[in-house]
Amino acid sequence: MTEAAATIPASGRTAKGDGPLAVAWRRLKKKRLAMAAVVILVILYAAGIFAPLVATHHYAQTDLTQTQKAPSGKHWFGTDRLGRDLYSRVLYSVQTTAIITIITVLSGSLVLGVSLGLVGGYFRGWIDTVLSRVGELISSFPDILLILLLAATLRPRFLGIARWVEDTWGLKGMVASGVVDFVMLAVVFLPMSWFGTFRLVRGQVLAVREADFVQAAKATGASTRRVLFTHVLPNVIGPIIVSASFGVGAIAGSEALLSFIGLGVQPPRPSLGTMLSDVNLRSSGAGVSILRDHPEQLIFPALAVWLFIFCWSLLGDALTDVFNPKSK
Amino acid sequence: MLAGPPTGNRGDSDFRGDARIAPALFRPRRVFKSQTPLTSAAFRWKVPRMLAYIARRLLWTPFLLIFVSLFVFTLGLYGPGDPVEVRLGQNYTPERAERLRDQLGLNDSFFTQYVRYVSNALKGDFGESLRFQGQKVTQILGPKIWVSVQLNVIAFAISLGVGLPLGFYVAKRQGSWQDPVVVLTALVLYALPVFITAPFLVWIFALELHWVPTAGWGGFLDKRIILPAVVIGIPGIAVFVRLMRASTLDILGQDYIRTARAKGLSEFTVNARHTGRNALLPIVTVTFFSLAGLLGGALVVELIFGVPGVGRLSLEAITARDYNVVMALTIMGATALVVANLLMDIAYTVVDPRIRLQ
């Protein structure tokens, strides 16, 4: 890190376009596979955000005269067992995943992980010890069990709060829109999403805080806030971006997994996980027969989940090289 | 990644360096042996340090288990769902519920209940299942664990059996078209969650080709174990291909491989004894960790294929709010994780003399 600190200007604003992020972007643009991943991700997130505009149907609109249809001009991806348009459902599911990944990464990894990491690494002392120990405790909990437990126990509480809000302020459709599920999933992923970033940022800050430019800034009387945000943070931004991009893929996968099991996003709101379990699981009644007769219904939701996970991990690999060109 | 030979002239191809390797020319085994630091001089200071480290980690474990059990216990007592209601079902009346609560000790204070639970657990009694009345948690868990162990052992064997040879082969063929193809395939497979591979494999091999049944469980030697084991094994294959490839490439660049070739050893001996064995060393450490991580993949797979294992049990117990079972499962999982992490740390130091535990 000390070498990286030497090559990257401390403030990141010495000359226009010479900041660490601009340099990284220039390096990233040379990687074809990574740029392909970026393009696909942009398309996915755009499709998610503009789903209401590009969808041909509403995700919950059933048509029992048009069930289990193959792809056609009217239904581009075909229809499911209730005659819902699969193209629109995939779009809205992508929206679900996009929202959840953004919320979780922003709240868990970036805000909580980075700020606690800065605090722990810079001030050290008891606060650092407490944060590290708590993180260690949580991370020694089996991930999947913790997530399942929280998802199963928090939902009724969150639903209760949401219903109360709906009744008190007269907000209709809050529960049906899936907001509760988004918030709940972000909270469920929080325990496992903050610690990775925390540990990383803390380690980087520990390395940077003794660097000459930080000492110089302190000696000139810069406030703690100024030291942290203009001198320390820009120098740890690379690893943060790398770990965030790996994290997003993992969160997309976990969301689909939870929804697949039935503990994630609840119907009528579609999710890639529920779409897959509709085709696949026996518990949905007609499971295996749908898989036998209409396996093509698997393709698009599966492709979307895979693209989310695959592109983010490709991007993460590329970013690792970009921010740390010496590591091979 | 891997430590060089303790002679300290790795990558050093000048005359002096070669001269120092020279005596080893006549003792090919020594190359391998000197790689394991416990036979070297490092042995003397390393073992007491490691024991101290292990002791410290083990002292930390009880605190961890207390935290984990307190957390689940709190969820059990204050979380949604009422075990008494579940148990009485249609026979629910307020009086009966109150009586049952007294019987189960649910009216005692949180602290009393927790202490009672822990003291029983220390004697090996994890209480009764709330869902299946009259059945001890330990009785329920035993057979389920055995099922999951069978499934995961087979899956792990598939990951290793396919991943390691393929990674080795690809590393030897670096520069040919097979290398990028396999690496990209591994990347693709690694990003495929089990709930996608499972239905696709069921569709192809069970519903179209009729080679294997769609679901069910018949034990170790039954056809029905094949699909779930392959599904769990696939991400592992991807991991081991990448690891083995990287590690083999690392070894192939070493001087002692050139030396071994130069003195006219057969290609098989060089591959098996000098390259393969050394390339496997760093992978040993990873295997401990991936063993602990199998639970996650197995859970969904057990659900999809109807395998009566721990994964399905934990999901059912969580949704049915059977907190006694959940508690036992979490404590078990946390312990397994701690042990796996500890083993991995130890394996790291055994393999790489540069790492010191503190």
Side-chain angles (χ1 to χ4, degrees):
Chain A
M1 193 57 225
T2 41
E3 283 135 333
T7 51
I8 300 171
S11 70
R13 288 195 205 91
T14 42
K16 212 174 182 190
D18 248 10
L21 291 181
V23 173
W25 174 242
R26 239 177 289 141
R27 285 199 200 123
L28 187 68
K29 271 199 289 195
K30 289 188 194 129
K31 294 179 183 285
R32 251 183 273 162
L33 205 57
M35 285 317 285
V38 170
V39 170
I40 292 174
L41 285 174
V42 168
I43 294 173
L44 275 178
Y45 278 82
I49 292 164
F50 298 113
L53 300 178
V54 277
T56 51
H57 296 70
H58 187 260
Y59 56 77
Q61 181 193 333
T62 58
D63 180 356
L64 293 175
T65 61
Q66 297 283 318
T67 59
Q68 314 276 33
K69 290 282 181 235
S72 65
K74 190 158 173 275
H75 299 285
W76 296 348
F77 292 176
T79 58
D80 71 359
R81 71 200 147 89
L82 297 173
R84 294 173 294 193
D85 179 53
L86 284 175
Y87 167 71
S88 308
R89 282 178 68 74
V90 167
L91 278 179
Y92 277 99
S93 303
V94 167
Q95 185 181 51
T96 307
T97 307
I99 293 174
I100 286 167
T101 49
I102 292 172
I103 295 181
T104 311
V105 168
L106 283 184
S107 65
S109 312
L110 296 183
V111 175
L112 203 61
V114 170
S115 54
L116 292 182
L118 281 176
V119 168
Y122 192 74
F123 296 109
R124 301 180 67 179
W126 64 269
I127 191 160
D128 183 32
T129 316
V130 169
L131 288 173
S132 301
R133 287 282 169 264
V134 169
E136 268 170 41
L137 279 177
I138 294 174
S139 62
S140 53
F141 217 97
D143 275 2
I144 184 94
L145 274 181
L146 179 62
I147 290 176
L148 290 179
L149 259 176
L150 286 177
T153 45
L154 286 181
R155 174 182 303 289
R157 292 268 177 276
F158 275 64
L159 271 181
I161 296 172
R163 294 238 163 78
W164 178 81
V165 170
E166 272 187 354
D167 292 344
T168 329
W169 284 305
L171 295 165
K172 286 277 176 287
M174 207 174 117
V175 176
S177 70
V179 174
V180 181
D181 294 328
F182 299 156
V183 176
M184 185 206 74
L185 284 173
V187 173
V188 165
F189 294 139
L190 213 56
M192 70 163 200
S193 62
W194 75 274
F195 187 58
T197 324
F198 164 80
R199 195 159 41 179
L200 190 107
V201 173
R202 177 181 168 273
Q204 298 287 330
V205 172
L206 280 180
V208 171
R209 73 194 289 272
E210 304 301 335
D212 287 343
F213 63 89
V214 173
Q215 297 301 324
K218 271 195 213 159
T220 55
S223 67
T224 308
R225 203 181 62 189
R226 192 177 157 77
V227 171
L228 274 181
F229 287 100
T230 59
H231 296 282
V232 175
L233 191 59
N235 283 291
V236 298
I237 203 106
I240 294 172
I241 291 177
V242 171
S243 90
S245 77
F246 278 120
V248 181
I251 290 161
S254 310
E255 183 269 316
L257 186 145
L258 269 186
S259 303
F260 184 89
I261 293 173
L263 290 174
V265 177
Q266 299 296 310
R269 178 87 215 174
S271 151
L272 295 167
T274 39
M275 289 189 73
L276 283 167
S277 81
D278 274 351
V279 186
N280 183 53
L281 268 193
R282 281 157 172 267
S283 56
S284 63
V288 168
S289 67
I290 296 181
L291 186 61
R292 179 179 291 126
D293 301 334
H294 303 281
E296 78 278 358
Q297 290 184 9
L298 276 179
I299 294 171
F300 297 106
L303 190 68
V305 174
W306 176 74
L307 280 177
F308 264 110
I309 302 176
F310 185 60
C311 291
W312 277 115
S313 80
L314 271 188
L315 191 59
D317 277 342
L319 287 171
T320 314
D321 288 351
V322 161
F323 283 108
N324 197 359
K326 283 185 193 121
S327 81
K328 246 304 171 202
Chain B
M1 187 90 186
L2 192 89
T7 39
N9 47 14
R10 180 178 177 186
D12 192 0
S13 59
D14 66 331
F15 176 74
R16 236 175 336 132
D18 286 344
R20 249 193 275 169
I21 302 178
L25 276 176
F26 307 100
R27 292 190 300 261
R29 272 174 169 277
R30 181 119 182 240
V31 174
F32 175 75
K33 273 194 173 169
S34 62
Q35 285 260 316
T36 35
L38 284 186
T39 61
S40 71
F43 186 81
R44 251 165 281 139
W45 60 265
K46 201 136 196 177
V47 165
R49 234 173 221 252
M50 199 145 80
L51 285 178
Y53 175 78
I54 294 171
R56 212 163 335 125
R57 285 285 289 267
L58 288 180
L59 279 176
W60 174 238
T61 315
F63 291 102
L64 172 80
L65 292 182
I66 288 173
F67 166 79
V68 166
S69 57
L70 262 177
F71 179 78
V72 181
F73 208 77
T74 318
L75 280 186
L77 281 188
Y78 300 111
D82 183 359
V84 173
E85 220 169 285
V86 173
R87 207 156 163 173
L88 287 173
Q90 292 195 323
N91 302 323
Y92 186 89
T93 59
E95 298 80 47
R96 280 194 191 142
E98 198 49 40
R99 215 174 323 136
L100 189 60
R101 250 188 213 116
D102 262 343
Q103 256 174 38
L104 295 173
L106 292 173
N107 286 334
D108 299 339
S109 74
F110 177 86
F111 187 69
T112 323
Q113 289 192 50
Y114 181 70
V115 169
R116 187 168 53 221
Y117 181 87
V118 170
S119 60
N120 282 337
L122 286 176
K123 288 179 223 145
D125 176 13
F126 286 90
E128 275 182 16
S129 161
L130 301 173
R131 193 164 46 125
F132 306 107
Q133 290 175 34
Q135 285 201 50
K136 287 270 172 206
V137 170
T138 37
Q139 278 174 345
I140 297 176
L141 273 178
K144 305 269 181 191
I145 293 175
W146 175 229
V147 167
S148 286
V149 166
Q150 286 173 315
L151 182 59
N152 283 320
V153 164
I154 300 270
F156 202 59
I158 291 174
S159 300
L160 286 175
V162 179
L164 295 182
L166 197 59
F168 185 78
Y169 174 78
V170 164
K172 297 283 289 182
R173 303 288 306 244
Q174 207 198 10
S176 77
W177 61 270
Q178 286 118 318
D179 184 30
V181 167
V182 170
V183 170
L184 195 68
T185 315
L187 269 176
V188 168
L189 286 182
Y190 188 64
L192 271 179
V194 287
F195 52 85
I196 292 180
T197 42
F200 274 103
L201 291 184
V202 167
W203 169 46
I204 296 171
F205 293 105
L207 296 175
E208 292 295 319
L209 298 172
H210 299 287
W211 288 358
V212 279
T214 51
W217 179 252
F220 215 53
L221 296 169
D222 190 272
K223 268 206 301 197
R224 284 172 289 188
I225 201 174
I226 300 172
L227 268 190
V230 169
V231 170
I232 300 176
I234 282 177
I237 294 177
V239 171
F240 285 121
V241 163
R242 289 180 73 182
L243 281 176
M244 187 65 184
R245 180 180 167 274
S247 148
T248 309
L249 284 178
D250 194 34
I251 301 293
L252 284 176
Q254 302 286 324
D255 287 339
Y256 58 82
I257 298 296
R258 188 160 15 105
T259 313
R261 284 233 175 75
K263 68 188 178 182
L265 289 179
S266 73
E267 189 61 25
F268 177 79
T269 316
V270 176
N271 277 343
R273 187 169 288 166
H274 294 89
T275 318
R277 277 167 74 172
N278 284 321
L280 278 176
L281 273 177
I283 291 175
V284 173
T285 60
V286 188
T287 50
F288 287 114
F289 199 68
S290 49
L291 266 179
L294 279 173
L295 180 72
L299 189 137
V300 189
V301 173
E302 285 178 6
L303 189 71
I304 294 174
F305 289 99
V307 176
V310 179
R312 213 177 75 170
L313 175 73
S314 51
L315 186 64
E316 285 168 357
I318 285 172
T319 41
R321 319 245 182 269
D322 195 344
Y323 283 104
N324 277 350
V325 174
V326 175
M327 184 82 139
L329 280 168
T330 345
I331 290 178
M332 205 179 71
T335 316
L337 209 61
V338 170
V339 172
N341 274 331
L342 189 61
L343 285 177
M344 187 173 69
D345 282 349
I346 295 170
Y348 262 129
T349 50
V350 171
V351 168
D352 191 339
R354 287 169 304 182
I355 293 176
R356 294 177 189 191
L357 300 173
Q358 42 185 302

